[in-house]
Every structure is written in C-alpha cells, then in structure tokens.
Amino acid sequence: MSSRDHVPNEVLLETPHAVASAGRSGPLRGRIRPPGDKSISHRALILGLLTLGRTEIRGLLEGEDVLHTADACRALGAEVVRRGDGHWSLRGCGIGSLLAPRQTLDFGNSGTGMRLVMGVVGGHALVARFDGDASLRRRPMRRILDPLVAMGAEVREQAEGGCCPVLLAGTSEPIPIDYAPPVASAQVKSAVLLAGLNSPGRTTVTEAEATRDHTEKMLAYFGAELAVEPFGAHGRRIVLEGRPELRPAPVLVPADPSSAAFALVAATIVPGSEIVIEGMMMNALRTGLLATLVEMGAEIEVLDRRVEGGEEVADLRVRAASLRGVDVPPERAPSMIDEYPILAIAAAFASGETRMRGLAELRVKESDRLAAISRGLLQAGVEARIEGDDLFVAGCAGEVPGGGLASTCLDHRIAMSFLCLGLGSRMPMAIDDSRMIATSYPAFRADMERLGAQFS
Ligand code: S3P
C-alpha cells in the first residue's frame, strides 16, 4: 500500500480553488519549528534509493512534492516505509541496479523531484516517462536533458519547448563529462552528478555561481569520492568519481529556511511581534534572505548555532522592526532564489525602494514569479515594476493598503507570501487558491495560527 495519504494532483486540480485570506493580526508570539528542508528531503530519498541497504531518515518533509519523489523511488525499486512522523526508512537497490518503472513518474508540482530523478534515470539503462501538473508542464527541462544527452541518454518524446511529458531512455555507461551549466542551478548540477554516479569515469560540474550544495555534501556523507574547489569569484568546481559504493547513513533533516522565511518576515512586519524559529538550517548557500533582512534593519538574533545531521543550524529570535529599502545584488540570487516572493512582501512594508536584481530565473519557477509578485503587490495597493530582469518595490513604510486578491498561479510560495502580507496590511488580503501550500508546507496555516495569525 502506498504511504501517500494526500490527494493526487489530478484530483486536486479538479476541485474548486480554495480561496483564503489573512487579516491584520495582533503581535505574533511563540516558537515554531518549520518543516524539514525540501531540498534535503528529496536528496535523502534519492540517495537512499541508490544505496544498498537501509537508510533511515528523520525530519523528512511530508509535503506533496517530497511524497511524489518517494513514490518515484518506489517505482524505481526501493522499499520505502513511513515509520512515524517524519521518520522514513528506505531499502535501496544500489547504483546500477534500479528497476524500470511500470507507470509514468508523476511529480505533481515538483521541479526538483522531476529534475533530480531525471538525472538518476539518465545514468541507468532504464526508460521512464516523466509528467507533472499544469505548472510543471510549463517548466523548462532541456537544461537537464541536454547534459544527460551529452552523457549518452536519449530523449524519446518531449512536449513542445522541451517540457514534460518526457520519455527518457538512460544509458548503462554514462559518459563522464565536464559540464558548465548555462544557468546557476542546483538542480542541473545535481542531475549531472546523479547521472555521473553510474559513470565509469570522473564527472565534473563547474558552476560560475555557487548554488546550494546539499547533493555534494550528502554524496560525500554516503561515502562517494568527490572533490569541491573554488572557481572564479563566486563559483565552484565539483569532481565526482563514478561508481562509488554508497553506504547507508542516517539522515536528520534540518528545518527549511525557505519555509522559515514566512514566519521570519511575518514577525518582522506585524508590530509588537516576537517569535523564535527553531532549528533553521544556516547553510551559507541558503541564507541570502537573512542577510538581506538584516541589511533592511530586521531584528534577528541568531541563537545556539550548532551542527545537526551535518548541517549548521540555529534558533532565530525575531522581533518586529521598521525596515528600509535596499539594493539586492544579482550574485546573491542563488542563496535566496525561492525567497524573493516573501522578500518582496518585506520590501512592501519598508520605507523607500527595494531593488532586486538579476531575477531571470524567477520566470521559470512554479509560476512566473516576477509577474505573480508584481501583480499581487499591485492588488495590495503597492507600487511594483519589472525592468528587464530586475524587480523594484516601492515601500509603504509599514502602511500597506491590502484589500486585494492575489492570483497564485499554482505556486505555493506566492500563496504563502500574500497571506503573510495580509497579516500586516490595513485591509485583509486574499489569495485565489491555497491548495498548493501543501506541496512544501502542509502545516503552514496551523503553525502561523499558533503564533497568532488571523486567517479565514
Ligand atoms: C532546488 C534548487 C533551486 C530551487 C528549488 C530547489 C534544489 O532551483 O529554486 O526550489 O533543491 O536543488 P534551481 O536549482 O533550478 O535554481
């Protein structure tokens, strides 16, 4: 029996949109532990699949996106069992010994799950069909398929524009390549490394801008031989020896900074708030939002820095603060790529203008986030404009009008961001659809309500 107890995406998309709204709240107070990191959760399952033996994972994010990856791992031959809250156990097949999936691998809304598993399939003698929801069907897959083809995989079918559904035939002897991704993308890097695991040689990825390094860290933790060195001003080169024998190792998933971001900003913009966020991952390639909020004048105290499960984590004490607009440089984007929607909300409450530069990648996330953010802000009475790949938000110095309806475009982070806006705006803010929040943060509403958020 599948351990997935969520509503399948196709059913979800046929149900009426779940309109939700948030109203001005009293001070937010209390402690929360955000859910497990989504990136690490996907990777823990996938490396568990590629390891011979049993991998125990604790703190796994049980959001729709990750559950789709768990299903894909099952379809590729792993035994995947949910033992309790966030505690999952996998018996993997080992590199080179995966099974061909009998059905389409459906990743729902999850670009990360699809792209990482494409890497795994690309490096194995398997044929698999990949598909997802309406949002995922619009997202570019050639960025993954191109290097996989260079490694010997074959794309048998694809939809227009290189989108899914995709029928991918992998190879049993991936050619070791030296690849420089044309966009800063941890997903592209990870797909190439995962395909390279079954290569008889050495796979190299050179990134001009360093992106989140969870794949490299976890590969090393599972016993792969891999070297990471600096490259240029902001980049890294990763060299992976093919065909390692991965050893099972217990994984403890830290709290997701991309989910913590909502409480962090909400407590900053709602006057009188003081909260503690527990166990947030402090990996330097994920903390761009923290750095930006501090520059804007946020009051964030970092408490009890420690290492848990191989990642640095800390508790954060956050107090309400008056923010000022800042200039966010393009080179910071990879370390906060998923946090621009909620940063834009913080910017709306700041005094002065915030300029966020170099955001081309936001156009190809779960929605065109540049458009969704600026349209939503206009709905909330906040002036925002896009110039090229830059986003400019004119801050309202704490007095955001609200009173509009933001269109969420099947995008969980747009949905949560505009609900956070409503917690501090003069009039309530509504979103047209809250269903996608379950992809990354099923307990969002409950967690925020416990702090004092007013939703309806
Ligand atoms: C992710 C990488 C990022 C991010 C996504 C998760 C990952 O995408 O936006 O939500 O887990 O590797 P890109 O690597 O494509 O920028």
Side-chain angles (χ1 to χ4, degrees), residues 17-284:
H17 289 199
V19 174
S21 80
R24 197 164 216 176
S25 303
L28 303 181
R29 292 281 160 81
R31 303 175 73 87
I32 64 161
R33 168 139 189 133
D37 186 68
K38 185 148 73 74
S39 296
I40 293 187
S41 295
H42 284 297
R43 286 157 171 83
L45 292 168
I46 291 169
L47 289 199
L49 162 72
L50 294 169
T51 300
L52 261 182
R54 195 172 281 289
T55 299
E56 299 288 334
I57 309 169
R58 285 193 164 72
L60 189 87
L61 166 66
E62 294 178 326
E64 301 257 342
D65 280 11
V66 174
L67 298 177
H68 281 294
T69 294
D71 283 348
C73 289
R74 239 180 233 121
L76 290 164
E79 180 194 306
V80 184
V81 180
R82 181 179 189 271
R83 300 212 176 275
D85 219 8
H87 179 189
W88 290 60
S89 171
L90 265 89
R91 187 176 287 284
C93 313
I95 297 165
S97 306
L98 307 185
L99 303 180
R102 278 181 295 189
Q103 289 130 2
T104 297
L105 302 177
D106 173 10
F107 286 93
N109 195 247
S110 177
T112 307
M114 176 174 286
R115 289 169 170 154
L116 268 52
V117 174
M118 279 180 168
V120 172
V121 167
H124 282 80
L126 299 174
V127 180
R129 185 177 295 279
F130 293 80
D131 205 356
D133 71 8
S135 153
L136 191 49
R137 280 184 170 203
R138 284 192 290 265
R139 299 182 66 185
M141 293 300 149
R142 284 305 329 177
R143 57 178 58 194
I144 301 292
L145 299 173
D146 288 345
L148 294 181
V149 166
M151 296 174 90
E154 187 195 340
V155 180
R156 298 215 174 135
E157 289 169 29
Q158 63 185 312
E160 213 186 304
C163 295
C164 69
V166 160
L167 185 65
L168 178 65
T171 169
S172 58
E173 287 268 310
I175 300 162
I177 59 169
D178 186 340
Y179 193 65
V183 285
S185 168
Q187 296 177 353
V188 173
K189 167 178 66 181
S190 301
V192 172
L193 293 175
L194 289 168
L197 279 175
N198 198 24
S199 166
R202 223 176 239 177
T203 299
T204 303
V205 180
T206 307
E207 42 180 16
E209 300 280 341
T211 61
R212 65 191 70 192
D213 57 359
H214 309 305
T215 303
E216 301 90 294
K217 278 177 125 170
M218 209 181 282
L219 278 170
Y221 178 63
F222 275 74
E225 210 182 302
L226 154 144
V228 181
E229 56 194 49
F231 175 80
H234 306 288
R236 286 186 178 174
R237 172 176 285 133
I238 302 111
V239 183
L240 172 73
E241 298 291 337
R243 305 214 167 141
E245 200 175 301
L246 300 183
R247 292 184 301 270
V251 179
L252 181 60
V253 183
D256 193 329
S258 301
S259 296
F262 301 106
L264 183 55
V265 168
T268 298
I269 61 178
V270 175
S273 298
E274 178 172 339
I275 66 164
V276 173
I277 299 172
E278 293 175 351
M280 189 182 103
M281 178 164 56
M282 296 293 282
N283 181 316

Side-chain angles (χ1 to χ4, degrees), residues 389-454:
D389 295 333
D390 302 340
L391 175 65
F392 296 75
V393 176
C396 303
E399 286 302 323
V400 171
L405 174 73
S407 171
T408 53
C409 313
L410 294 180
D411 190 326
H412 54 132
R413 299 201 197 279
I414 296 295
M416 290 184 275
S417 296
F418 282 98
L419 286 177
C420 287
L421 179 142
L423 301 177
S425 56
R426 274 205 299 263
M427 285 172 293
M429 187 71 192
I431 59 169
D432 65 345
D433 193 355
S434 59
R435 293 169 303 169
M436 285 298 150
I437 293 175
T439 62
S440 68
Y441 195 167
F444 170 74
R445 185 175 176 137
D447 280 0
M448 296 299 291
E449 283 180 337
R450 242 183 310 108
L451 296 176
Q454 297 290 321

